[in-house]
Amino acid sequence: MSDKVNKGSEFKPYVPADKVMPEFTGTAIFIGVIMSIVFGAANAYIGLRVGMTISASIPAAVISMGIIRGILKRDSILENNMVQTIGSAGESLAAGAIFTLPALFIWSQELGMAEPKLLNIIVISLVGGTLGVFLMLPLRKALIVNEHGTLPYPEGTACAEVLIAGETGGSKARTVFAGLGIGSLFKFIADGIKLFPSEIEYAFKGYKGAAIGMDTLPALLGVGFIVGPQISGYMLSGAILGWLVIIPLMTHLGQFVTTAIYPASDPLSTLGYWDMWSFYIRYIGAGAVAFGGILSLVKSLPLIFRTFRDALGGLKESSGTRTNLRTDEDMSIKIAIIGVIAIVLFIGLTDIIPVGVLGAIIIAVFGFFFATVSARLVGLVGSSNNPVSGMTIATLLITSIIFKATGFVGEAGMIGALSVGTVICIITAMAGDMSQDLKTGFLVGASPKKQQYGELIGVLASGLVIGLVLALLNKAWGFGSSELPAPQATLMKLVIEGVMSGNLPWVLVFMGVGIGIMVELLGIQILPFAVGLYLPIHLSTPIIIGGILRGLLDKKKMDEKVLREKIDGGVLYSSGLIAGEGLVGIILAILAIIPATADKSVGDIVAFGNNMLGQWGSLIFFGLLILTLVKNSFWRKVDN
């Protein structure tokens, strides 16, 4: 992959344009849809729990190679690429949805609003996903072809390299499946059977109000290994500030304060550390996250405007080019434009997405702008650095201000503003993901038109399921709880409430902003620090263990190719751990709401273990889990 040239027209893909191979087949579509649903649902659970999602492209491609090449004995890199295209589309749609839609469920609990209807969630998800595909479609030649060599698209390039190195797909697929199995089994034993507690905790006796804990779960270990030691360290440092500094300080001062401090209704002296986190730390953390999101957007503005200008310039240059090559054929641009217009009219003229004509216009304008920005920006900085949350916060702020100025306020205005933000968030996530997928296809020699159809299939599969997943998780545990903190959605909710009603503990929010400024001045990445501050420390501690393992492995001195294989093994195994826990988490949510007797659910009956092994049992099992990650990374056998 190192012999790339600057001109997309001169580039020779892995599969030549004149070679026809199985690509858009029933097998690829079926496996892709399964991957879309699996990774979409798993990402929904993990994202709501820790505020991070994982890319499905490489795990889906590896699993596909294991099935298509290893089991079915078929040799088509383009089928494998189609599977990852469909699978990653579903994962991106789910990520966009969980960053915003849970706020509707939280409002139903806190403000007595009606719970969102499943149909509305499905339509919002499908509309956002479809607009993301249609709006990115005209940009492919400008960004992927004409700027090949200029825009590296790191995740898309990495996925192409995995696909091209497909002869090792069998062992890599086994690694993902092993992680999936171990992650599923561990989650079921811990939170299903409840053989041991999945959360352990220790309160410092000589330091009142201070506590440390750990959720001994596979997904958190896997997240830490994937994001590495630096991001993990930033998260833990934010958690330490909250749980070992601010909460003990408030506990100490609470001895001298006899009145309640808003938003709590009881005096500080009567509150435990979990109460302190719920009433105070979450707002401080939300302020820091909001500042980090907005700052990331502001810092990106010069690049964003330059990106938008260059993308439109490239679009004009490529608009007149026509070719009969398989590798250069797109879906009809006219159909995409008509589709966008039809969807915007549908939004404005119906109340299924309750935003009105004004909201539909905002979606059209911001959707076009942020889709264009996202599609090119991820080519420069990668999907993990795409400021989706910042773009969504900006959209929510502007939309809320416009709605309030035009009299569209109250519950209807809040729901309308969030609906606009949700559609924009999904558009932004989808456009970035689709551009990475098309880059992968460009490098391996896929048919863009078929990939674009695959994106729409992934949107449809995930969009039909995500509403059900959200409803299940909310009914089982509730969003905003310690089980599912939903950090991004809670933040979006606070942004809208702050503009619409002003009824927020602004002092706490601005404390978070001040902390964010301090962290920025120290040269630390704000967002992971702020997310760590917002979340319970119990989530950051297992993440740092995974991050430390990754850091130790990164520093090992050995052959570069061998080291890369070991790291890849750990990342794939971690992806399996995350997906396995996410899927079992959803299964447990289903069991928790199915009644077995008058006062017990099926989940209650399954949980017969009664945490009999205690906290020490939890630590021992987590230690064994760590060893399985070490086995699939440090001790992984690599053929030279």
Side-chain angles (χ1 to χ4, degrees):
M1 307 297 292
S2 60
D3 58 342
K4 299 174 194 165
V5 289
N6 290 331
K7 295 282 186 181
S9 56
E10 300 171 8
F11 177 76
K12 303 299 181 186
Y14 183 77
V15 178
D18 57 357
K19 184 175 182 180
V20 178
M21 295 178 69
E23 183 173 8
F24 196 64
T25 63
T27 301
I29 293 171
F30 177 76
I31 299 173
V33 166
I34 297 299
M35 293 296 101
S36 172
I37 294 171
V38 166
F39 281 100
N43 258 332
Y45 177 79
I46 300 304
L48 290 166
R49 191 165 173 84
V50 299
M52 295 181 180
T53 57
I54 60 162
S55 172
S57 295
I58 290 178
V62 168
I63 291 172
S64 173
M65 287 188 286
I67 296 173
I68 293 177
R69 181 189 297 272
I71 298 175
L72 301 180
K73 305 301 181 184
R74 287 159 59 167
D75 186 14
S76 176
I77 189 175
L78 301 187
E79 277 187 299
N80 295 322
N81 180 61
M82 182 58 62
V83 170
Q84 73 83 16
T85 298
I86 298 173
S88 64
E91 164 258 320
S92 295
L93 183 145
I98 64 166
F99 283 177
T100 48
L101 285 174
L104 295 174
F105 293 92
I106 299 174
W107 277 333
S108 72
Q109 298 161 12
E110 294 181 353
L111 305 179
M113 293 185 186
E115 275 204 4
K117 295 179 180 177
L118 187 60
L119 176 63
N120 294 76
I121 294 177
I122 290 173
V123 172
I124 289 173
S125 301
L126 292 177
V127 161
T130 306
L131 282 175
V133 174
F134 283 165
L135 290 170
M136 195 276 153
L137 195 151
L139 301 170
R140 185 193 70 84
K141 289 183 181 178
L143 300 182
I144 308 300
V145 180
N146 294 353
E147 295 207 56
H148 177 59
T150 304
L151 300 176
Y153 286 100
E155 288 89 349
T157 301
C159 188
E161 289 173 349
V162 169
L163 286 167
I164 291 172
E167 61 270 13
T168 63
S171 64
K172 288 185 176 180
R174 284 194 295 273
T175 303
V176 178
F177 281 121
L180 192 70
I182 294 295
S184 301
L185 180 62
F186 193 104
K187 176 71 172 177
F188 188 73
I189 292 173
D191 286 345
I193 298 174
K194 294 189 183 296
L195 188 63
F196 53 84
S198 61
E199 181 178 283
I200 59 176
E201 189 174 271
Y202 176 75
F204 295 96
K205 294 176 183 176
Y207 189 25
K208 193 174 180 182
I212 193 166
M214 179 188 294
D215 284 6
T216 53
L217 289 169
L220 302 175
L221 181 68
V223 165
F225 191 90
I226 290 173
V227 302
Q230 189 174 62
I231 300 298
S232 301
Y234 290 153
M235 286 189 68
L236 182 62
S237 60
I240 288 172
L241 177 63
W243 284 73
L244 299 183
V245 179
I246 298 176
I247 292 178
L249 176 63
M250 295 184 73
T251 302
H252 175 69
L253 296 177
Q255 301 174 79
F256 313 104
V257 180
T258 56
T259 56
I261 300 176
Y262 183 78
S265 56
D266 297 313
L268 289 178
S269 58
T270 64
L271 302 180
Y273 45 77
W274 276 110
D275 298 316
M276 294 283 193
W277 171 77
S278 180
F279 288 120
Y280 302 109
I281 297 299
R282 287 201 303 165
Y283 288 102
I284 296 172
V289 173
F291 175 76
I294 293 171
L295 183 66
S296 68
L297 182 64
V298 170
K299 289 165 76 172
S300 301
L301 280 178
L303 180 59
I304 284 173
F305 287 121
R306 191 164 63 249
T307 290
F308 188 69
R309 182 196 64 207
D310 293 347
L312 291 184
L315 180 59
K316 290 177 184 176
E317 290 176 13
S318 61
S319 60
T321 60
R322 290 189 174 275
T323 177
N324 293 321
L325 289 176
R326 174 187 62 79
T327 54
D328 206 28
E329 185 181 6
D330 293 290
M331 283 175 56
S332 169
I333 304 296
K334 290 181 180 178
I335 290 177
I337 294 172
I338 293 170
V340 170
I341 294 171
I343 291 172
V344 171
L345 288 174
F346 169 78
I347 294 170
L349 300 178
T350 68
D351 60 357
I352 296 179
I353 302 179
V355 300
V357 174
L358 183 59
I361 294 172
I362 294 172
I363 287 173
V365 173
F366 278 84
F368 174 68
F369 178 71
F370 283 138
T372 305
V373 167
S374 180
R376 192 173 195 275
L377 199 59
V378 299
L380 291 169
V381 299
S383 296
S384 58
N385 295 311
N386 190 15
V388 174
S389 61
M391 296 182 200
T392 307
I393 291 170
T395 301
L396 288 174
L397 280 171
I398 294 171
T399 303
S400 298
I401 291 169
I402 293 173
F403 280 6
K404 188 173 184 178
T406 56
F408 189 20
V409 293
E411 291 184 4
M414 292 165 66
I415 294 171
L418 187 78
S419 299
V420 170
T422 301
V423 173
I424 296 300
C425 189
I426 295 174
I427 287 173
T428 307
M430 282 298 306
D433 169 77
M434 182 173 169
S435 60
Q436 297 283 10
D437 290 339
L438 290 174
K439 180 68 171 186
T440 302
F442 176 75
L443 295 174
V444 301
S447 307
K449 182 177 181 180
K450 293 176 180 177
Q451 273 195 284
Q452 289 151 0
Y453 287 142
E455 295 281 350
L456 291 174
I457 291 172
V459 165
L460 180 63
S462 185
L464 292 174
V465 172
I466 191 64
L468 184 61
V469 170
L470 289 176
L472 279 171
L473 293 174
N474 180 65
K475 192 165 184 179
W477 296 297
F479 299 132
S481 64
S482 58
E483 174 71 27
L484 295 173
Q488 283 89 351
T490 304
L491 170 62
M492 306 307 172
K493 162 185 159 300
L494 292 178
V495 169
I496 295 172
E497 289 175 354
V499 175
M500 290 290 191
S501 66
N503 187 25
L504 276 179
W506 284 107
V507 171
L508 299 175
V509 173
F510 285 123
M511 281 176 64
V513 173
I515 290 171
I517 293 171
M518 178 198 71
V519 168
E520 170 66 17
L521 291 174
L522 290 173
I524 296 171
Q525 290 186 40
I526 294 179
L527 280 175
F529 180 93
V531 169
L533 175 59
Y534 175 87
L535 294 172
I537 195 171
H538 305 60
L539 300 176
S540 295
T541 43
I543 288 175
I544 191 63
I545 292 174
I548 290 171
L549 289 176
R550 174 66 180 272
L552 291 174
L553 183 57
D554 285 343
K555 290 182 178 180
K556 269 194 166 291
K557 294 181 179 179
M558 60 178 70
D559 180 76
E560 187 176 337
K561 181 183 176 184
V562 173
L563 179 60
R564 173 46 51 193
E565 284 291 319
K566 289 179 180 289
I567 292 173
D568 287 348
V571 168
L572 290 173
Y573 185 75
S574 296
S575 299
L577 290 177
I578 293 168
E581 181 183 329
L583 291 177
V584 172
I586 292 166
I587 292 170
L588 294 179
I590 296 172
L591 298 180
I593 64 174
I594 299 176
T597 62
D599 59 344
K600 286 188 176 182
S601 68
V602 174
D604 294 328
I605 294 174
V606 170
F608 59 83
N610 201 29
N611 292 329
M612 64 176 70
L613 298 183
Q615 293 199 119
W616 284 108
S618 182
L619 278 173
I620 291 170
F621 270 82
F622 193 65
L624 294 173
L625 181 70
I626 293 171
L627 285 177
T628 67
L629 177 55
V630 170
K631 177 180 180 295
N632 283 279
S633 52
F634 287 80
W635 301 340
R636 183 180 180 86
K637 293 181 179 179
V638 179
D639 296 327
N640 292 316

